[in-house]
Amino acid sequence: MNVRLGPWSMRLAPRSLAVTALLLLIACAVAVAAISTGEFTVPVPDILAALAGEGTPVAELIVNKLRAPRVATGLLVGAAFGLSGAIFQSLTRNALGSPDFIGFTAGASTGGILAVVAGGSAAVIAGGALTGCVITAVLVYALSYRRGVQGYRLVLVGIGANALLLAANSYLLTRSNIYDAATAAAWLTGSLSGRGWDHAIPVAVALALLLPLCAYVARPLRMIEMGDDAARAMGIRVEPVRAVAIVAGVLLCGVATAAAGPVMFVALASPQLARRLTRSPGVTLASSALMGAVLLTASDLIAQRLLAPVQLPVGVVTAAIGGAYLAFLLRKDRY
């Protein structure tokens, strides 16, 4: 189905639209369940009243101060991870080409650990994570560049960088005092515990700024998936598009890691699950972002309720889900 808006036109697949709408509804349902359930149950009408500023003091405390910021952070961070994973899997034409495997998440972890060891505040740790992600991306891009950046070279260099950074992270943890090491280890697991609006708002701003950029490169990326020569034959400027996409994907990964820590496997699994649901020949950005939001928020809900009153870090649940998914992916596609 083609839609034309003045000089602009786009092709919309009915199945992709239906899957995107379904994922949006599921995300809303999971968000409502996460806000309303827990040690103190808050009915849906009370949630709406509290969000409008007309609820009881107790409801406003539980909803506006404790649960809604955590859920909003989960939705936004999940969307950012899903979108980042979709961009890099499209660029590399590889289901394993996510920030988790090509070093960007590990680079963000290194920056966060250095900030912890230096005694930095939460804001400094977040800034360190974003800085580490960006520096790693610049180095990986520079080492991968040889008359352009090919997907397989980016993956290989990224895997090497990931191994080196994981070794560096382990070294930093072993050389830190026990208190800094414990703090860094907790942050490295990935968690939404204690997240407030000050965590959600920066991710929302980053998404608002980067979503138009992602939408702009979405069509050229689909052309590049067919190969650089084919994309150039259709008038696509391959290297500028690839550079813009990498910048957007790195910033999304860095901001998400800064807000919730290096939550593993969301960026890996979300695009592939979305692609299988939409039956699209390539990675779809919108459905991948919504799938990431659903995965992370649902995982956090499981982490809170599975062993209640004990709460697990969300990274434990996503790692369990992601490990099972990775085994399925390797068995099915024989990588």
Side-chain angles (χ1 to χ4, degrees):
M1 179 173 62
N2 292 318
V3 178
R4 181 173 294 276
L5 298 173
W8 303 92
S9 64
M10 64 181 72
R11 183 178 180 276
L12 299 177
R15 185 179 178 89
S16 295
L17 285 175
V19 170
T20 300
L22 178 61
L23 289 173
L24 182 60
L25 289 175
I26 294 174
C28 293
V30 173
V32 170
I35 294 175
S36 63
T37 61
E39 187 175 353
F40 297 96
T41 301
V42 182
V44 174
D46 291 350
I47 294 175
L48 298 176
L51 291 175
E54 299 176 354
T56 64
V58 174
E60 291 196 10
L61 172 64
I62 294 174
V63 173
N64 295 336
K65 299 295 184 181
L66 300 178
R67 295 180 183 172
R70 178 171 182 156
V71 170
T73 303
L75 290 171
L76 293 168
V77 167
F81 273 130
L83 195 55
S84 177
I87 288 172
F88 285 112
Q89 288 182 16
S90 178
L91 282 172
T92 60
R93 299 193 291 275
N94 192 321
L96 300 181
S98 77
D100 300 338
F101 283 86
I102 57 178
F104 301 151
T105 302
S109 300
T110 304
I113 293 173
L114 288 173
V116 171
V117 171
S121 63
V124 174
I125 295 172
L130 180 58
T131 303
C133 184
V134 171
I135 291 175
T136 302
V138 171
L139 292 175
V140 170
Y141 185 87
L143 292 173
S144 304
Y145 192 91
R146 184 182 298 172
R147 297 180 181 178
V149 176
Q150 300 297 322
Y152 73 91
R153 189 181 297 126
L154 182 67
V155 171
L156 291 176
V157 173
I159 290 174
N162 188 66
L164 292 173
L165 288 167
L166 289 177
N169 294 345
S170 299
Y171 175 78
L172 290 172
L173 290 176
T174 58
R175 302 299 298 174
S176 304
N177 65 60
I178 188 170
Y179 302 106
D180 289 341
T183 301
W187 182 80
L188 286 172
T189 305
S191 176
L192 294 175
S193 178
R195 295 310 187 264
W197 294 114
D198 55 330
H199 296 89
I201 291 175
V203 186
V205 172
L207 282 171
L209 295 175
L210 294 172
L211 278 176
L213 194 62
C214 294
Y216 177 75
V217 299
R219 180 178 173 81
L221 281 178
R222 295 294 296 272
M223 301 297 105
I224 293 174
E225 286 182 19
M226 296 187 294
D228 290 1
D229 292 338
R232 289 190 182 97
M234 289 182 283
I236 303 297
R237 300 176 62 192
V238 174
E239 286 308 318
V241 169
R242 185 177 281 128
V244 169
I246 289 175
V247 168
V250 167
L251 290 177
L252 287 167
C253 175
V255 169
T257 305
V263 183
M264 300 299 290
F265 288 108
V266 176
L268 170 72
S270 299
Q272 291 302 311
L273 291 174
R275 184 172 70 85
R276 282 164 169 75
L277 286 176
T278 59
R279 296 180 184 174
S280 171
V283 175
T284 55
L285 300 185
S287 56
S288 298
L290 286 171
M291 180 61 76
V294 169
L295 277 181
L296 188 56
T297 311
S299 296
D300 188 50
L301 182 59
I302 294 171
Q304 293 180 71
R305 308 288 185 260
L306 183 63
L307 299 177
V310 177
Q311 293 193 13
L312 298 173
V314 67
V316 173
V317 179
T318 60
I321 296 173
Y325 172 75
L326 181 59
F328 165 78
L329 186 67
L330 291 171
R331 177 176 175 82
K332 179 178 176 59
D333 294 338
R334 301 183 184 277
Y335 279 98

